Amino acid sequence: MTQHYLRDAETIEAADRLPVLPLRDVVLFPHVAMPLLVGRSGSLAALEAAESTDKLVLLLTQKDSTVQDPGAADLHRTGTLGRVLQFTKLPNGAARVLIEGLARARVLKFVAGAKLLRAVARPQPFALDTDDSAVAEARRALALFEEYVTQHRRMPPEVAGLVQAASSLERQACGIAAHLAVRPETRQTLLEAPRLEDLFRALSELTAGETELLRLERKIEDDVRGSLFQNQREFYLQEQLRAIHRELGDEETDDLTDLEAQLAARQLPEQARARADRELRRLRRMSPMSPEAAVARNYVEWIAALPWSERTDDLLDVSRSRAILDEDHHGLAEVKERIVDYIAVLSLVGRLEGPILCLVGPPGVGKTSLGRSVARALGRKFVRMSLGGVRDEAEIRGHRRTYIGALPGRILQAMRRAESVNPVILLDEIDKLGSDWRGDPSAALLEVLDPEQNRAFNDHFLEVDYDLSQVLFLTTANTLAGIPDPLRDRMEIIRLPGYLDQEKIAIAQRHLIPRQLTQHGITPASVSWAPETLPAMLRQYTREAGVRELERRLARVARKVARRRAEQPAESAPHDTIAASDLRPMLGVAPYDPDEVTLEDRVGVAQGLAYTQVGGELLEIEVSVVPGRGRVQLTGTLGDVMKESASAALSYIRSRAEVLGVAPDFARTKDVHVHLPAGATPKDGPSAGIALATAIVSALTGTPVRGDVAMTGEITLRGRVLPIGGLKEKAVAAHRHHVSHVIVPASNVRDLDELPEEVRKGVRFHPVKTMDDVLALALRTLPVAPPRKGRAAPVATRGAVGVAPDVTH
């Protein structure tokens, strides 16, 4: 039985059962000839069967190209009837064959044989409804295919002409489909199109998309080719320019020669010189356009720019250095003594490893400006480096050169700016260092601030040892709480307490007022200050340990004076006098009431002393006792440690209730409310323990607390008073608030000698060991214990609990 296939006007007779030739990743369209390389046994058997009969074979594409021996289920049902035009066997057993597609065929069923697979197929020509619609779709597809061929770099332009010259629409469609570079699945979909119009429409969509991709690829290629051509052109012109300069004898054009000369002028260590010479040799062999060349050049430039042996001569005149320090800063005696000692030793030994000094104090006391004065006194270069908010360890030790844009760390950058090996480097705000997943900068500073290690500091970028032992490092901090213990151990801690009112007035007269008036265009001699003006400004408009707020207030006064002079007619010699009554018109309403802290005796109110980041503060503690069920309430944003101090104070009072004159059952019949004003400000620490206990005893017994007494100390359950820290700052705060008596732990007596002389003269300090001593000093009259049945009431005298000895300074 035979089947008739139509090919244009030709009718082709084919057997009902055709040998099947499976194709991998290939789809053969009708009217298209294609060479194939056949090597599988089943495929060779199909070709041999076709050669022995009518040379017709059915070509079907595999669904999965990885299947080595496909069966009926692995093949598509729609394929192409093909004629074998050439069949040549190769020595390796394979065959090269040229097959021409004749017509589309549809498989009805497969017949498996011993060596080959046969299929019962029927013709499946493309349906054509109307000639006009097919012609319209064909014209659109041909136009798009012509543009596609134009954009395709590997397809000859003649292909578009051959397809357009085809004798039928079906030939044109199959020609376009055969030349599109699409996936085999897409080709099979095109072959299975039911109508010719559908085939042309699908070809138009595919051709338009592929054309757009080719256009984009060509644009990218042109851009890359243009960039490469520009780089090659620049390189060629630069080489020509170098050759011309060499012929002219111009020596200034070779940058590498200049770098080599800079390195030769430096007295580099052996390791650094070897590394620099090696990088310079690599740089000479590289193309200037190479990215690695920029990295190597940057490295060599950094080695050439760093100071390796250049140093400034130290000014070792001790009296001159002391005069400079006194000229720039008022007070700060301990720091000045330490710097003068260093200069004196340096004048004797000639060279000394720089100390690591950490200046700890509240803001505005002159820590940062002191670094500049130290550098001026020594005659050294000064570099300030702020560490606030630094979280990356690479900020200190640098980035490795494998990273894009790598640079040395801040330490070596500071040395480059200093241009000497012995500058004064101020590490500002060292307590504000942070840490995260990028590393811990404080750990990187351990090597920098260790005199035993910083002589061989190794930066990640430089990768050679650099000597930092001659650098005088100064660090500043507001508190030691944020500094890790290993880093704190490497520094010499010098505490700077807050300024006294007399010191602030002296600083304002010597430094702040002349500076602010000059900055605002006013001659300092043309402004007079009444004696009561500055004290009034301190009491009513500032409340700080330093002088920053004071300087801002003085700047505002200077602006008002400048405005007054600008609005008035010009005078030959204007002169202004600032009185205390002028402060309100110039500065507005005073934010602070000088009478806010009263020194009168009050029941249930005690004055504690606290240490904060801005210096010492007077801490008022209020206690109220009301009938209740023994509930204790603590308010004022108290921390856990302060709450525990309050609990310890209550336990002590309950254990000593009879002696203290407190009702034994107060824990069941009274509610105690402890409050610390300024509730929005967090408060914590154990040093308010004795003040809490005193206020509670006063409230329970109705005995007033002396208003001229402030106290600080930690309390235990047995009433012992333990030492505290920050006594210097607390004592200055007490003096600033005109407190006459301060109760301190007996273990802190050794710290009293370090207090400023004005504080020791104005405040009387009372060392205590137990709460009995505290109550004897703090309460106006000692509480009387309630009499027992059959026993007379004791006489209330101070000797009942003992009075601690006074320490007079």
Side-chain angles (χ1 to χ4, degrees):
M1 185 176 179
T2 62
Q3 298 292 331
H4 296 82
Y5 292 84
L6 295 178
R7 186 189 183 201
D8 297 336
E10 178 186 2
T11 301
I12 302 172
E13 292 186 1
D16 186 47
R17 295 185 177 184
L18 297 171
V20 175
L21 177 61
L23 301 177
R24 287 192 293 190
D25 296 330
V26 174
V27 176
L28 180 64
F29 287 91
H31 314 289
V32 176
M34 178 182 294
L36 298 174
L37 184 63
V38 181
R40 291 184 290 186
S41 58
S43 301
L44 291 173
L47 290 174
E48 291 174 353
E51 279 288 316
S52 62
T53 56
D54 52 4
K55 295 189 177 183
L56 296 179
V57 65
L58 183 61
L59 295 100
L60 300 175
T61 303
Q62 292 182 203
K63 298 178 181 179
D64 186 0
S65 61
T66 60
V67 178
Q68 184 65 25
D69 189 10
D74 300 319
L75 300 173
H76 288 284
R77 291 277 179 165
T78 301
T80 303
L81 177 67
R83 177 185 291 124
V84 179
L85 300 179
Q86 294 180 5
F87 180 76
T88 305
K89 288 190 174 182
L90 302 177
N92 58 359
R96 182 180 289 111
V97 60
L98 178 64
I99 299 180
E100 178 188 12
L102 301 178
R104 191 170 66 160
R106 176 73 179 177
V107 176
L108 299 181
K109 67 176 181 178
F110 291 97
V111 180
K115 294 184 179 180
L116 57 90
L117 181 66
R118 293 181 181 271
V120 178
R122 295 290 182 270
Q124 191 182 19
F126 289 100
L128 184 62
D129 294 341
T130 60
D131 292 338
D132 293 340
S133 62
V135 171
E137 291 290 346
R139 287 181 178 179
R140 179 168 177 266
L142 287 171
L144 291 173
F145 180 68
E146 184 178 2
E147 186 178 1
Y148 172 80
V149 173
T150 305
Q151 296 293 333
H152 208 299
R153 295 181 181 275
R154 293 178 295 275
M155 188 174 295
E158 294 81 6
V159 173
L162 293 176
V163 173
Q164 290 178 348
S167 58
S168 66
L169 295 179
E170 183 176 337
R171 284 180 176 271
Q172 292 176 344
C174 292
I176 295 175
H179 287 90
L180 285 180
V182 294
R183 297 176 60 84
E185 295 83 358
T186 306
R187 289 174 176 270
Q188 182 66 31
T189 303
L190 294 175
L191 182 63
E192 295 176 356
R195 299 186 309 155
L196 200 58
E197 291 89 345
D198 297 333
L199 177 58
F200 275 119
R201 190 176 299 111
L203 288 174
S204 298
E205 295 176 0
L206 284 174
T207 307
E210 292 296 320
T211 303
E212 190 64 29
L213 288 177
L214 289 174
R215 187 181 293 111
L216 182 59
E217 289 178 0
R218 171 167 285 193
K219 180 179 181 301
I220 294 175
E221 290 178 3
D222 291 342
D223 292 343
V224 173
R225 185 179 295 106
S227 177
L228 292 176
F229 174 75
Q230 181 67 20
N231 292 338
Q232 293 172 354
R233 179 175 176 274
E234 290 178 359
F235 177 74
Y236 177 71
L237 293 177
Q238 287 178 357
E239 291 297 325
Q240 282 188 329
L241 188 61
R242 288 193 182 94
I244 292 172
H245 282 297
R246 281 197 298 269
E247 293 295 329
L248 295 175
D250 191 351
E251 299 178 355
E252 297 182 358
T253 58
D254 193 355
D255 294 339
L256 297 183
T257 303
D258 294 343
L259 268 179
E260 189 174 8
Q262 294 178 21
L263 292 174
R266 296 281 189 180
Q267 297 180 9
L268 302 179
E270 182 179 352
Q271 181 186 11
R273 183 168 295 281
R275 190 64 179 271
D277 291 343
R278 186 175 64 186
E279 291 294 328
L280 197 59
R281 287 195 298 270
R282 289 182 60 238
L283 190 58
R284 290 187 182 279
R285 293 194 297 267
M286 292 180 188
S287 167
M289 299 297 113
S290 171
E292 188 67 22
V295 176
R297 183 184 184 87
N298 189 31
Y299 179 83
V300 176
E301 287 178 347
W302 266 99
I303 290 185
L306 283 173
W308 297 91
S309 58
E310 296 78 11
R311 54 178 293 119
T312 56
D313 295 332
D314 292 329
L315 302 178
L316 304 179
D317 189 345
V318 176
S319 58
R320 174 188 173 278
S321 301
R322 184 57 188 254
I324 291 176
L325 294 175
D326 290 337
E327 176 187 347
D328 292 344
H329 290 82
H330 184 82
L332 308 180
E334 185 178 354
V335 188
K336 294 177 181 178
E337 288 293 329
R338 182 64 182 87
I339 298 301
V340 172
D341 292 345
Y342 171 75
I343 295 174
V345 175
L346 190 63
S347 64
L348 296 178
V349 299
R351 177 170 177 172
L352 184 65
E353 292 182 351
I356 314 296
L357 304 182
C358 181
L359 309 180
V360 181
V365 297
K367 300 184 298 295
T368 303
S369 59
L370 185 63
R372 292 189 176 87
S373 298
V374 171
R376 191 162 75 92
L378 284 169
R380 295 187 178 186
K381 301 289 186 66
F382 174 76
V383 180
R384 174 184 171 271
M385 187 171 69
S386 178
L387 298 179
V390 174
R391 294 179 175 272
D392 191 355
E393 179 231 357
E395 293 280 349
I396 306 298
R397 303 187 66 94
H399 295 84
R400 301 192 184 278
R401 287 189 291 159
T402 53
Y403 296 100
I404 297 175
L407 285 174
R410 293 195 179 192
I411 299 297
L412 288 190
Q413 292 181 26
M415 295 300 296
R416 180 174 181 174
R417 293 197 304 270
E419 298 179 345
S420 69
V421 296
N422 61 336
V424 175
I425 295 183
L426 179 71
L427 305 179
D428 211 2
E429 308 292 351
I430 196 172
D431 58 327
K432 307 300 189 302
L433 283 171
S435 61
D436 57 13
W437 55 271
R438 290 169 291 186
D440 188 357
S442 62
L445 282 175
L446 295 178
E447 181 183 1
V448 177
L449 300 181
D450 191 342
E452 299 298 328
Q453 301 180 35
N454 61 12
R455 63 177 64 253
F457 173 69
N458 197 287
D459 188 273
H460 288 162
F461 179 85
L462 211 61
E463 293 182 335
V464 294
D465 293 340
Y466 190 85
D467 187 4
L468 296 174
S469 61
Q470 301 182 56
V471 179
L472 175 58
F473 284 103
L474 297 178
T475 65
T476 69
N478 296 128
T479 175
L480 293 176
I483 305 177
D485 291 338
L487 186 59
R488 188 188 312 175
D489 182 63
R490 284 163 167 78
M491 300 184 294
E492 182 179 344
I493 308 299
I494 299 179
R495 293 186 176 273
L496 306 181
Y499 290 119
L500 305 176
D501 287 352
Q502 295 85 347
E503 293 176 325
K504 292 181 181 180
I505 292 174
I507 292 172
Q509 292 173 343
R510 293 174 51 184
H511 302 284
L512 304 183
I513 293 177
R515 180 167 62 202
Q516 288 300 326
L517 292 178
T518 302
Q519 289 179 358
H520 290 81
I522 303 172
T523 305
S526 65
V527 179
S528 300
W529 298 77
E532 72 279 1
T533 304
L534 290 178
M537 186 181 294
L538 290 176
R539 291 192 305 270
Q540 301 177 28
Y541 290 91
T542 66
R543 184 166 293 178
E544 58 178 346
V547 292
R548 281 200 181 129
E549 182 63 24
L550 176 60
E551 185 171 12
R552 283 192 285 267
R553 297 292 180 177
L554 292 172
R556 187 169 180 179
V557 171
R559 290 194 296 271
K560 297 297 183 182
V561 173
R563 177 180 174 181
R564 182 190 304 172
R565 294 187 178 183
E567 292 175 347
Q568 293 177 353
E571 300 180 10
S572 57
H575 190 86
D576 293 278
T577 300
I578 310 299
S581 58
D582 298 327
L583 294 181
R584 171 138 190 187
M586 290 183 170
L587 301 179
V589 179
Y592 305 108
D593 183 3
D595 299 327
E596 179 183 356
V597 180
T598 61
L599 301 182
E600 62 183 15
D601 299 349
R602 288 175 292 177
V603 176
V605 179
Q607 305 284 0
L609 292 172
Y611 174 67
T612 67
Q613 291 189 2
V614 295
E617 288 292 339
L618 199 63
L619 192 65
E620 192 174 79
I621 299 173
E622 300 176 347
V623 177
S624 176
V625 177
V626 296
R629 298 182 179 180
R631 190 166 63 96
V632 179
Q633 186 176 5
L634 305 174
T635 57
T637 319
L638 308 185
D640 293 338
V641 178
M642 187 167 283
K643 291 179 181 178
E644 292 173 359
S645 296
S647 299
L650 282 168
S651 298
Y652 162 75
I653 294 171
R654 292 177 62 184
S655 66
R656 301 270 294 171
E658 183 177 355
V659 177
L660 297 175
V662 178
D665 60 346
F666 82 92
R668 297 189 302 274
T669 61
K670 303 289 184 182
D671 286 348
V672 179
H673 186 173
V674 180
H675 178 70
L676 278 71
T681 305
K683 310 167 190 70
D684 203 1
S687 63
I690 64 174
L692 287 167
T694 302
I696 295 173
V697 170
S698 172
L700 289 172
T701 62
T703 306
V705 181
R706 294 175 58 184
D708 60 346
V709 173
M711 61 198 76
T712 179
E714 181 180 355
I715 186 176
T716 68
L717 291 176
R718 297 186 177 274
R720 292 188 300 118
V721 180
L722 302 183
I724 45 83
L727 181 61
K728 184 184 296 186
E729 290 80 5
K730 296 175 181 179
V732 171
H735 182 271
R736 185 167 63 246
H737 290 88
H738 307 289
V739 174
S740 304
H741 301 272
V742 174
I743 300 174
V744 298
S747 301
N748 287 108
V749 172
R750 58 181 178 271
D751 300 328
L752 298 178
D753 293 332
E754 299 180 1
L755 300 180
E757 185 177 356
E758 293 84 355
V759 175
R760 286 181 288 162
K761 288 182 178 179
V763 179
R764 187 164 187 160
F765 294 91
H766 305 272
V768 295
K769 293 184 178 179
T770 65
M771 270 304 302
D772 292 344
D773 300 336
V774 175
L775 296 176
L777 291 166
L779 299 181
R780 180 58 65 183
T781 59
L782 291 178
V784 179
R788 294 183 180 180
K789 292 182 179 180
R791 179 186 297 180
V795 180
T797 62
R798 288 189 179 274
V801 292
V803 180
D806 295 343
V807 177
T808 304
H809 288 274

